[in-house]
Amino acid sequence: MPWPAALLPQAAEVPDAPASVKEAQASVTEAASFIEQNWATWLSIGLRILLIVVIAAVIRSAVRKALTKLINRMNSSAEAVEGTALGGLLVNAERRRQRSEAIGSVLRSVASFLILGTAALMVLAALKIDLAPLLASAGVAGVAIGFGARNLVTDFLSGVFMIMEDQYGVGDKIDAGVASGEVIEVGLRVTKLRGDNGEIWYVRNGEIKRIGNLSQGWATAGVDVQVKPSENLARIREVVKEVADSMAKESPWDERLWGPVEVLGLDEVLLASMTVKVSAKTMPGQQFAVERELRWRIKEAFDAAGIRIIGGMPAADEDEEPPADASASVAAPSALSNPASPQSLATAPIPPPAGPRITK
């Protein structure tokens, strides 16, 4: 039985086999020829890029390790000095640690930026990429960012120089002009201060135009004592010297006093008083406590010696002025207050006549 023509399988269209094989062979030949001509260049570029990356990584790692060792050495030297008897008064380990960590962070960031940036430019140059448009665009973008973030850049650079110059650190008492207090944190952009009333000030480093550090070196405690002009100056000097000697032998004032308490002399002489100036060199930040203790002890010693301080209680043996007459401020009685006096009678009204009054 013959099959219908519609049901018979159609013959597949067979492409021209020789033409396809020739085209594929030509493509492979061209590719092989292209690879054969450029494989050396590609290999050279790849090896160059790999060498640049490896060298950059090795240099970056070596620089970071060197900076870390330097920071650790700075911290260890600070801890060694702090362990001595006088080192605890002169070195603040936390301040040195934060300063060294901040400097190390800045140096590591700068080193990484320079090394990796140079390596990236070398890789682009190895790939035959024109760097002129890229550098020009980066320059324009840098100028725009610099104008837009000039305050941030100013704060950052001020913080870097402040840390490197060790202008102040954690624990220092400073006067920054815009705020004053104890430094509790030092950053590259912001310095954190705690004021005398407990408030916390966040001061941008770029806003600080002057710094008064009250915790470096030594401080001076000054006390002004006002006494009567008739007091014996030699006796006053002797009493103050006794107070200073006893105070310098007691703890903790023997550590806070870094020099003898001196009587500098008369600071002011008036008709009713004279001012004696007392001064002493103290540990940084302890001058106010020394001043308060000196006033306390001088007041007690002067009371015991009978030296009168202006504003205090008078001494027992001092001649007191006689009290003023109370009647001196009372006016004399007036004669008009007595109705029987001639003055009162003269001012009395004239009585009318006793006879009958004639009227029209």
Side-chain angles (χ1 to χ4, degrees), residues 1 12-13 40 47 59 72-73 90 143 152 157 170 173 181 189 204 239 254 279 330-331 340 358:
M1 177 178 179
E13 297 181 357
L47 292 177
I59 294 176
N72 294 335
R73 184 175 300 177
L90 300 177
V143 171
L152 181 62
L157 293 179
V170 175
K173 179 84 172 183
R189 194 183 69 87
R204 288 169 39 204
V239 172
D254 54 351
S279 177
V330 179
I358 300 174

Side-chain angles (χ1 to χ4, degrees), residues 179-260:
S180 61
E182 181 181 356
V183 180
I184 59 178
E185 185 177 341
V186 179
L188 293 177
R189 194 183 69 87
V190 174
T191 296
K192 187 185 296 185
L193 305 176
R194 183 174 294 278
D196 296 334
N197 297 326
E199 69 276 10
I200 296 180
W201 298 96
Y202 294 88
V203 184
R204 288 169 39 204
N205 295 328
E207 294 181 349
I208 302 177
K209 305 303 180 183
R210 61 172 180 83
I211 291 292
N213 197 322
L214 307 179
S215 301
Q216 287 184 352
W218 47 269
T220 302
V223 176
D224 295 336
V225 183
Q226 289 186 346
V227 296
K228 297 287 289 184
S230 59
E231 299 292 345
N232 189 352
L233 293 177
R235 177 59 176 163
I236 293 175
R237 186 185 296 273
E238 181 182 354
V239 172
V240 173
K241 189 176 183 304
E242 293 176 358
V243 170
D245 293 340
S246 63
M247 183 176 177
K249 297 177 182 178
E250 298 179 7
S251 178
W253 311 111
D254 54 351
E255 296 181 357
R256 298 180 181 180
L257 284 172
W258 285 10

